[in-house]
């Protein structure tokens, strides 16, 4: 006890109740150091100045003294001298010019004198100009705009001579004053401010200040007038800035900004660039106008290729142009690239699994001939050999094809038959010839799979004969449920994004038929959603919402009913406020499906917009679910419920609105770099503090935000989650690994999946997903991508994002979808599949395709964001020079290195048409 008392006495420190008074000398020292660190603040002491500074200070003091002189001649001379001192002197980055620093001490004196002068006098105006400059350094109240007020009393149009920083400061205060006058009056007089704007804008455009010019016009509500100032030299920077700014503007300002960008490109006849903006606006009227106006046939062919990439079907009356829009020759281009890169040899599933690198005990413990693994091999074989028209399971001979199909039992045969369509992807003529014979099979499962295969090989391709609809229409009313499903899903694949009215007549009756099963209605709804994705079609939306409103408790709680709600969301993809009516209509739905449907429609409506308000609302919902779950857990602990009952309860939770919100965060931020980066940080918090059900959606949300983009940070997170004790979370993470690295052949992800195959050797469901993920990683032997972004990450393909959403929502409840009877939902990935090649072609009259391949040199490097940067900075870094065709990663950007040819489009990716450079001079041959 004594020892403790001594310790307490030893550590006791007396603390005064008041702070000690500062020494006067110490205050002076602090002021001196503050003046050194922040020049221009406080009183300037002469003993701290050198001889040059003393001379400048003396000159400024004399000028200020003479300004007070009654003789106007003396005043004029003093003003001219002081103006010259202000304009000619310069300061460092961290300090203000010396004359300005010394003059600010006289500001109050000059301000008092200024009030006594005649406003119209020339000397008064010159003094106002000086006061305007000095006021920049003076503290002022918010929204006071003192600098601008003095300038308006001086020579308002004389701005450039006072320096660029002064012009920027005036621009800022013009925005403040403009807003004040609009708030104070319904018809404000802003003519004086407008005269300043008219002077400042040309100054900015002459000095690489295009972003500042756009900001000024935005503050003055005159952004639409920027088109008047655009020329061949500056329009690219202005449009790039407006496109980047549109992500951060609320609706409808973002659409207005895009419309202004379109106007600029259109008036300067930059048709490919204008087409990109028109597609971003989802305006068919603008797209058709551009196609009809463009007179350059080569440029028109390039625009047709761009429309094909976005899956927009259009008829122009020109056979060559229409064939390019309809992707009729896409298979030929794809195979040409594969041959050039020596990738034609088919791969077997075992080659993908790299069995020889795995622990032999893995194969001893897993039954290789099991139905689950055979189904996995079917998917892997289809994904890896997609579009190559040959494989080692189905195509060597018709007998081997049938043999492999029958290695799968019951409805798994559907996926085996459907996988044949993926092998002949985009080649309609050859694909129909190879698959047609299976329609005469006695097995309904094979016929159903064949109908899906025919839809898959038509995906993104339009044929004049339109065989897909003719073949599938007769099966829509078939007695066999599997055949009806095959025809319905096949139509959704074949006509995704086409918006054809005939399909509405075929599928809507199935959706609204109360006698149909929920599963058939769900797939019919999904097909309608894929066909009319992003169209906001009223007839389809009414049918889907009416179908959801008619569901009773049991039907609304069915897992497949959620896909009807997803179809409604796809209909309003990217429409923003266009989905408000649908959200209001959801109130009438059954409570079992209403919260889910409302959440899905909302997140789809704001897909790719980067809307911060919506993201915050989604985060709030997730936070509320986390706090609610923690309270529920506390109550459960008090009741001491049995752990087995808890586990059973967790398994039956299904898909909650909170899980939809997690997916929604990724969906909204996709395509916007800053939002995507913040999205990763948000999910870290969700993993730590979110509810258990919400954690299950995080791997899939990360995958959606990083499709075909295997970033190290994302892979590490998914790798940890793939070993999560929660079964659903780990399965989601495994599939997410495949989607993140889709088509990249990423060695690190491949190694992780091989390790997971050993780890989950005795878990049939996990091992199935590991195998499928391995196939997705090697999609098209590395020639295909699932990334919905293209055209320098400017455009979001609605068809691609629609297919990805179907697979991701199916993965939220794998037990009832992918791991159940609807494993063929994985084939919805086909709508997102596109070649990740750069293929250069020349226009050709002789070739029936209208173009012919031409190998040229190109530079491929890492993308660099050059928006709002002065000069002409390099758009790629760390580049390497290759011969086309080449494969591009998600972060790559390419430039044509050949001096002989120029690209027709500013976006060098996909199929790029070339034209001869008129300024090209062939190198002179050396004399021998």
């Amino acid at each position: 006890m004594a020892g403790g008392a001594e310790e307490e006495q030893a550590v006791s420190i007396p603390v005064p109740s008041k702070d000690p008074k500062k020494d006067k000398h110490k205050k002076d020292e602090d002021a001196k150091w503050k003046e050194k660190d922040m020049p221009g603040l406080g009183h300037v002491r002469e003993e701290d100045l050198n001889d040059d500074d003393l001379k400048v200070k003396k000159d400024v003091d004399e000028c200020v003294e003479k300004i007070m002189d009654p003789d106007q001649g003396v005043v004029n001379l003093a003003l001219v001298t002081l103006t010259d001192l202000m304009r000619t002197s310069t300061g460092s980055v961290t300090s203000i010019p010396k004359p300005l620093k010394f003059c600010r001490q006289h500001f109050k004196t000059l301000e008092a004198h200024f009030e006594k002068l005649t406003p119209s006098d020339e000397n008064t105006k010159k003094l106002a100009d000086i006061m305007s400059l000095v006021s920049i350094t003076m503290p002022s109240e918010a929204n006071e705009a003192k600098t601008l007020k003095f300038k308006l009393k001086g020579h308002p149009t004389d701005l450039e001579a006072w320096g660029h920083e002064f012009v920027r400061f005036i621009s800022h205060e013009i925005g403040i004053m403009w807003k004040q006058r609009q708030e104070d009056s319904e018809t404000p007089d802003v003519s004086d401010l407008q005269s300043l704007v008219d002077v400042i804008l040309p100054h900015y455009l002459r000095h690489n200040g295009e972003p500042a010019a756009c900001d000024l016009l935005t503050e003055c509500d005159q952004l639409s007038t920027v088109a008047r100032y655009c020329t061949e030299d500056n329009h690219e920077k202005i449009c790039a800035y407006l496109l980047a700014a549109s992500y951060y503007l609320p609706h409808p300002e973002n659409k207005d900004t895009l419309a202004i960008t379109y106007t600029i490109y259109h008036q300067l006849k930059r048709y490919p660039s204008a087409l990109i903006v028109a597609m971003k606006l989802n305006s068919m009227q603008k797209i058709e106008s551009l196609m009809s106006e463009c007179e350059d046939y080569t440029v028109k062919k390039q625009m047709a290729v761009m429309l094909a990439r976005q899956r927009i079907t259009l008829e122009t009356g020109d056979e060559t142009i229409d064939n390019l829009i309809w992707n009729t020759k896409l298979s030929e281009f794809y195979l040409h690239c594969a041959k050039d890169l020596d990738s034609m040899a088919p791969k077997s599933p075992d080659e993908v699994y790299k069995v020889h690198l795995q622990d032999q005990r893995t194969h001893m413990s897993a039954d290789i001939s099991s139905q689950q693994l055979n189904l996995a091999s079917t998917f892997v074989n289809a994904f890896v050999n997609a579009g190559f028209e040959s494989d080692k399971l189905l195509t060597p001979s018709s007998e081997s094809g049938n043999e492999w199909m029958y290695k799968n039992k019951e409805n798994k045969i559907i996926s085996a038959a459907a996988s044949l369509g993926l092998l002949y992807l985009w080649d309609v003529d050859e694909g129909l010839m190879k698959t047609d014979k299976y329609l005469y099979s006695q097995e309904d499962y094979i016929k159903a799979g064949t109908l899906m295969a025919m839809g898959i090989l038509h995906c993104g391709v339009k044929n004049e004969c339109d065989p897909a609809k003719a073949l599938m229409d007769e099966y829509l009313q078939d007695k066999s449920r599997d055949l009806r499903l095959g025809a319905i899903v096949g139509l959704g694949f074949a006509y995704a994004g086409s918006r054809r009215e005939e399909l509405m007549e075929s599928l809507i009756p199935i959706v609204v038929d109360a006698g149909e099963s929920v599963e058939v209605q769900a797939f019919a709804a999904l097909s309608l959603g894929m066909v009319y994705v992003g169209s906001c079609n009223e007839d389809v939306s009414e049918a889907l919402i009416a179908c959801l409103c008619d569901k009773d408790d049991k039907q609304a709680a069915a897992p497949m009913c959620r896909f009807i709600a997803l179809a409604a969301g796809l209909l309003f993809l990217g429409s923003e406020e266009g989905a408000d009516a649908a959200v209001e209509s959801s109130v009438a739905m059954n409570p079992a499906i209403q919260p889910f449907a409302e959440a899905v429609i909302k997140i789809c409506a704001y897909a790719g917009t980067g809307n911060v308000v919506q993201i915050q609302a989604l985060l709030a919902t997730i936070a509320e679910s986390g706090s609610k779950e923690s309270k529920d857990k506390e109550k459960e602990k008090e009741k001491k419920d049995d752990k087995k009952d808890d586990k059973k309860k967790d398994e039956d939770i299904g898909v909650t609105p909170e899980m939809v919100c997690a997916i929604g965060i990724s969906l909204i931020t996709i395509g916007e770099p800053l939002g995507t980066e913040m999205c990763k940080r948000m999910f870290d918090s969700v993993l730590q503090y979110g509810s258990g059900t919400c954690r299950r959606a995080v791997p899939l949300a990360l995958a959606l935000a990083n499709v075909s983009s295997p970033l190290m940070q994302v892979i590490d997170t998914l790798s940890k989650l793939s070993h999560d004790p929660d079964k659903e979370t780990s399965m989601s993470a495994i599939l997410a690994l495949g989607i993140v690295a889709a088509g990249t052949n990423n060695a690190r992800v491949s190694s992780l999946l091989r390790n997971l195959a050993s780890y989950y050797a005795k878990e049939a469901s996990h091992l199935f997903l590991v195998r499928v993920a391995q196939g997705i990683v090697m999609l098209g032997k590395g020639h295909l991508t699932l990334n919905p972004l293209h055209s320098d990450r400017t455009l979001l393909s609605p068809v691609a994002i629609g297919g990805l959403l179907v697979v991701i929502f199916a993965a939220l409840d794998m037990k009832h979808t992918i791991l159940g009877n609807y494993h063929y939902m994985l084939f919805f990935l086909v709508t997102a599949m596109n070649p990740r090649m750069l293929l250069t072609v020349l226009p050709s009259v002789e070739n029936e395709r209208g173009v012919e391949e031409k190998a040229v040199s190109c530079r491929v490097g890492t993308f660099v964001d050059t928006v709002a940067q002065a000069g002409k900075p390099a758009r790629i870094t760390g580049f390497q020079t290759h011969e086309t065709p080449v494969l591009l990663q998600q972060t790559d950007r390419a430039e044509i290195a050949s001096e002989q040819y120029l690209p027709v489009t500013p976006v060098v990716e996909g199929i790029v048409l070339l034209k001869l450079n008129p300024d090209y001079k062939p190198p002179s041959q050396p004399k021998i």
Side-chain angles (χ1 to χ4, degrees):
M1 293 292 290
E6 288 178 5
E7 284 184 13
E8 288 180 8
Q9 190 175 4
V11 297
S12 62
I13 300 171
V15 179
S17 59
K18 294 183 180 180
D19 292 335
K21 292 183 179 180
K22 281 193 175 183
D23 185 23
K24 186 178 179 182
H25 177 70
K26 179 67 176 173
K27 283 185 179 179
D28 294 340
E29 286 295 322
D30 289 345
K32 183 178 179 181
W33 283 108
K34 187 176 180 181
E35 175 61 29
K36 285 185 178 181
D37 291 338
M38 303 176 67
L41 298 177
H43 181 71
V44 180
R45 299 188 301 180
E46 292 190 4
E47 56 267 25
D48 295 333
L49 304 176
N50 57 33
D51 293 341
D52 293 337
D53 292 348
L54 282 171
K55 184 178 181 305
V56 173
K57 185 176 184 304
K58 183 180 178 184
D59 292 342
V60 169
D61 292 344
E62 287 179 359
C63 289
V64 171
E65 187 178 344
K66 290 178 180 178
I67 288 172
M68 310 294 179
D69 198 283
D71 188 344
Q72 292 300 307
V74 174
V75 173
N76 183 48
L77 182 62
L79 290 170
V80 171
T81 304
L82 190 55
T83 300
D84 290 341
L85 279 170
M86 297 285 190
R87 288 180 176 178
T88 56
S89 62
T90 57
S92 68
V93 177
T94 57
S95 65
I96 59 177
K98 288 295 191 296
L100 190 57
K101 180 179 178 180
F102 299 141
C103 192
R104 70 189 301 276
Q105 300 176 33
H106 303 286
F107 182 79
K108 291 184 178 179
T109 306
L110 291 172
E111 189 176 22
H113 179 68
F114 180 82
E115 298 296 332
K116 302 174 184 177
L117 300 178
T118 307
S120 60
D121 188 65
E122 182 63 23
N123 285 343
T124 306
K125 292 181 179 180
K126 289 180 180 179
L127 179 58
D129 290 340
I130 295 172
M131 296 289 290
S132 178
L133 180 65
V134 177
S135 64
I136 292 177
T137 66
M138 302 301 297
S140 60
E141 296 179 5
N143 303 332
E144 190 176 3
K146 189 179 288 186
T147 302
L148 178 59
K149 290 175 181 177
F150 276 116
K151 193 61 186 172
L152 290 173
K153 294 176 182 178
H155 299 91
T157 56
D158 179 25
L159 294 171
E160 194 168 344
W162 295 95
H164 188 69
E165 196 59 38
F166 177 74
V167 176
R168 288 173 62 89
F169 201 89
I170 285 288
S171 299
H172 169 67
E173 294 201 342
I174 287 174
I176 294 173
M177 186 70 75
W178 197 290
K179 187 177 179 180
Q180 282 181 349
R181 292 188 184 181
Q182 284 185 327
E183 291 174 354
D184 295 342
S185 173
E186 294 182 0
T187 56
D189 180 16
V190 291
S191 56
D192 52 346
L193 300 179
Q194 186 62 53
S195 63
L196 284 170
V197 172
D198 294 339
V199 173
I200 292 172
L201 282 175
H203 168 78
Y204 279 147
L205 297 177
R206 284 196 304 271
H207 296 87
N208 292 314
E210 290 86 355
C214 293
D215 290 341
L216 177 59
L217 288 173
T218 302
E219 293 290 336
C220 300
D221 298 327
Q222 295 181 11
L223 188 59
S224 57
T225 63
V226 73
R228 296 203 304 252
Y229 302 94
C230 290
T231 63
E232 295 285 346
D233 298 326
N234 63 24
H235 80 279
E236 288 185 5
K237 289 186 177 181
I238 291 174
C239 291
Y241 183 73
L242 293 178
L243 279 171
S246 65
Y247 285 108
Y248 306 101
L249 295 172
H251 185 81
E253 290 177 28
N254 55 348
K255 299 290 185 185
D256 295 340
T257 304
L258 290 173
I260 293 165
T261 309
Y262 170 83
T263 303
I264 295 169
Y265 281 134
H266 184 240
Q267 74 178 18
L268 293 171
K269 297 186 177 180
R270 292 291 185 266
Y271 292 114
S273 299
L275 182 63
I276 290 174
V277 182
M279 289 190 287
K280 195 170 177 66
L281 285 166
N282 196 21
S283 171
M284 287 301 298
Q285 182 182 355
K286 287 182 169 63
I287 291 169
E288 292 171 0
S289 173
L290 288 170
M291 291 300 293
S292 61
E293 285 181 29
C294 182
E295 298 176 355
D296 189 324
Y297 201 56
T298 303
V299 175
K300 205 166 187 176
K301 287 180 180 179
Q302 181 64 62
M303 293 166 69
V305 171
M306 294 164 67
L307 287 172
R309 177 64 178 84
Q310 187 71 352
R311 299 286 194 267
I312 294 176
T313 53
L314 193 68
E315 292 187 11
T316 62
D318 186 311
E319 185 179 352
T320 304
I321 299 296
D322 286 347
N323 283 334
L324 289 172
I325 294 175
W326 298 346
N327 269 330
T328 53
K329 303 299 178 183
L330 179 59
S331 178
E332 291 182 28
F333 292 134
Y334 176 66
L335 291 174
H336 170 81
C337 178
K339 287 174 185 174
D340 193 88
L341 297 173
D342 195 20
S343 303
M344 291 299 293
K347 282 185 176 292
S348 67
D350 283 345
E351 290 176 278
V352 176
Y353 303 155
K354 295 188 177 179
V355 178
H356 60 283
L357 297 177
Q358 294 182 12
D359 187 355
Q360 293 301 316
R361 287 175 297 179
T362 301
H363 310 292
M364 295 298 292
S365 60
D367 184 5
I368 297 176
S369 63
S370 68
Q371 295 303 306
Q372 200 81 339
L373 290 183
N374 282 347
L375 181 61
S377 295
T378 297
F379 283 114
V380 171
N381 180 67
F383 288 143
V384 172
N385 298 296
F388 284 90
E389 303 187 354
S390 64
D391 71 328
K392 294 185 178 181
L393 296 182
L394 293 168
T395 59
S397 67
S398 59
E399 292 180 3
S400 64
N402 285 331
E403 183 182 341
W404 178 256
M405 284 186 190
Y406 284 111
K407 279 190 178 181
N408 298 275
K409 302 297 181 184
E410 298 178 349
N411 72 344
K412 294 181 176 63
I413 297 175
I414 295 177
S415 289
S419 67
L420 200 59
L422 207 50
L423 298 178
Y424 293 95
L425 184 62
W426 306 318
D427 192 346
V428 175
D429 296 333
E430 185 71 17
L432 285 176
M433 195 168 66
K434 295 291 185 182
T435 56
D436 180 63
K437 60 186 176 184
Y438 292 107
L439 280 179
Y440 302 100
S441 171
Q442 299 300 315
E443 187 78 50
D444 281 353
Y445 290 135
I446 291 180
K447 291 168 74 174
T450 303
L451 290 170
M452 289 187 192
M454 289 179 172
I456 289 170
L457 62 89
H458 277 85
C459 187
V461 179
K462 184 179 178 181
N463 191 284
E464 286 182 341
C465 302
D466 202 15
K469 191 172 188 302
L471 286 166
M472 295 178 198
D473 269 354
E474 61 180 287
Y475 292 99
L476 290 176
Q477 304 301 326
D478 198 275
K479 293 180 181 178
S480 170
R481 171 179 167 277
D482 292 313
L483 286 178
R484 290 208 310 277
L485 283 177
I488 289 167
V489 175
L491 285 173
F493 288 145
Y495 299 101
S498 66
R499 305 183 183 182
R500 287 185 55 171
E501 292 185 4
E502 308 94 84
L503 295 170
M504 195 192 308
E505 298 169 3
S506 302
L507 295 173
I508 284 183
I510 299 174
V511 173
V512 298
D513 185 359
E516 283 285 5
S517 65
V518 176
E519 291 81 2
V520 175
Q521 286 182 313
F523 280 108
L526 277 180
S527 291
L528 276 172
M530 291 302 299
V531 172
Y532 291 93
V533 61
S535 67
C536 301
N537 187 287
E538 290 184 9
D539 295 332
V540 179
S541 65
E542 286 176 7
L544 295 176
I545 292 171
C547 177
L548 287 168
C549 290
D550 291 341
K551 297 297 176 211
D552 56 30
D553 292 344
K554 184 179 178 181
Q555 292 173 323
M560 293 306 294
C561 187
R562 292 192 286 267
F563 291 95
I564 304 175
L566 176 59
L570 294 178
L571 204 63
F572 296 99
L573 196 73
S575 63
E576 299 189 58
E577 294 180 357
D580 287 352
V583 173
E584 291 174 5
S585 302
S586 68
V587 178
M589 296 177 190
N590 190 292
I593 193 67
Q594 192 275 332
F596 179 89
E598 182 180 349
V600 168
I601 294 172
K602 279 184 178 179
I603 67 168
C604 288
Y606 289 91
T609 61
N611 191 295
V612 179
V613 176
Q614 294 299 321
I615 293 172
Q616 289 173 342
L618 295 175
L619 285 171
T621 305
I622 293 172
E624 288 172 8
S625 70
S627 60
K628 183 180 178 182
E629 187 179 77
S630 61
K631 290 178 182 177
D632 292 342
K633 283 182 178 179
E634 288 177 4
K635 291 179 181 178
E636 287 172 5
K637 283 180 182 179
E638 291 175 3
K639 293 178 181 179
K640 296 181 180 180
D641 289 338
D642 189 14
K643 291 182 180 179
K644 292 182 180 179
D645 294 338
D646 291 343
K647 287 181 180 178
K648 188 175 181 181
K649 184 179 177 182
D650 288 341
E651 288 175 0
D652 295 338
I653 284 174
V655 182
T656 63
E658 293 78 32
M659 297 167 79
V660 176
C661 291
I663 301 294
I665 292 172
S666 290
L667 185 60
I668 293 172
T669 59
I670 193 169
E672 198 271 287
L674 185 61
T676 305
E677 189 61 35
M678 292 302 296
C679 172
K680 297 170 193 170
R681 300 186 185 183
M682 293 175 198
F683 288 137
D684 286 340
S685 300
V686 173
L687 288 172
Q688 288 182 4
Y689 309 111
S691 64
T693 54
C694 197
R695 287 182 83 254
R696 296 176 183 177
V698 170
L700 297 167
L702 282 170
L704 183 60
N706 300 276
V707 179
S708 294
S709 179
L711 301 176
M712 189 72 70
Q713 178 188 351
V714 177
I715 292 172
D716 286 343
T717 303
L718 292 176
S719 178
K720 292 174 185 174
L721 292 173
S722 64
H723 296 83
D724 197 88
D726 181 64
K727 184 179 177 181
E728 282 75 13
T729 304
S730 59
M731 289 195 296
S732 298
I734 292 168
L735 184 61
L737 275 170
I739 295 173
V740 165
T744 63
N745 289 350
N746 187 277
R748 188 163 185 269
V749 175
S750 298
S751 176
L752 287 171
L753 289 172
R754 283 197 301 273
N755 294 336
L756 286 169
S758 300
Y759 185 79
Y760 289 115
K762 295 182 180 180
E763 297 283 342
S765 298
H766 283 81
L767 188 57
F768 170 77
L769 289 169
V770 170
R771 295 310 191 197
V772 170
Q774 285 179 300
I776 296 174
V777 170
M778 296 191 69
L779 191 67
K781 302 172 197 169
H783 289 254
L784 294 175
T785 181
L786 295 180
N787 196 336
L789 295 168
H790 61 99
S791 301
D792 273 350
R793 289 157 289 278
T794 303
L795 286 176
L796 181 68
S797 170
V799 177
I801 203 69
L804 286 167
L805 282 175
V806 172
V807 174
I808 283 173
F809 272 84
L812 288 174
D813 188 13
M814 292 193 195
K815 181 180 176 183
H816 298 102
T817 54
I818 295 171
L819 297 177
N821 293 327
Y822 308 109
H823 35 78
Y824 44 79
M825 294 184 80
L826 283 170
F827 285 121
F828 274 90
L829 289 176
V830 73
T831 61
M833 291 181 191
N834 280 289
R836 61 182 186 95
M837 63 186 179
L838 166 58
L839 179 67
T840 49
V841 295
L842 286 172
S844 171
V845 179
E846 300 175 358
N847 194 318
E848 62 174 1
R849 294 175 297 180
V851 293
E852 59 182 357
E853 295 85 358
K854 174 67 177 177
V856 297
S857 59
C858 67
R859 292 183 290 268
V860 179
T862 305
F863 163 82
V864 176
D865 187 7
T866 58
V867 176
Q869 291 188 15
K872 295 183 178 180
R875 299 174 74 240
I876 60 174
T877 182
F879 63 83
Q880 293 181 334
T881 304
H882 303 273
E883 287 282 317
T884 58
V886 294
L887 299 179
L888 300 179
Q889 296 284 1
Q890 194 266 345
T891 55
D892 287 344
R893 178 182 273 168
E895 294 177 349
I896 301 300
S898 172
E899 296 181 0
Q900 186 176 358
Y901 297 100
L902 296 174
V904 175
T905 172
V907 179
V908 183
E909 64 181 53
I911 300 170
V912 176
L913 272 84
L914 303 175
K915 62 180 180 181
L916 286 169
N917 185 357
D919 300 328
Y920 174 71
K921 293 180 181 179
S924 57
Q925 296 292 332
K927 294 182 180 180
I928 301 175

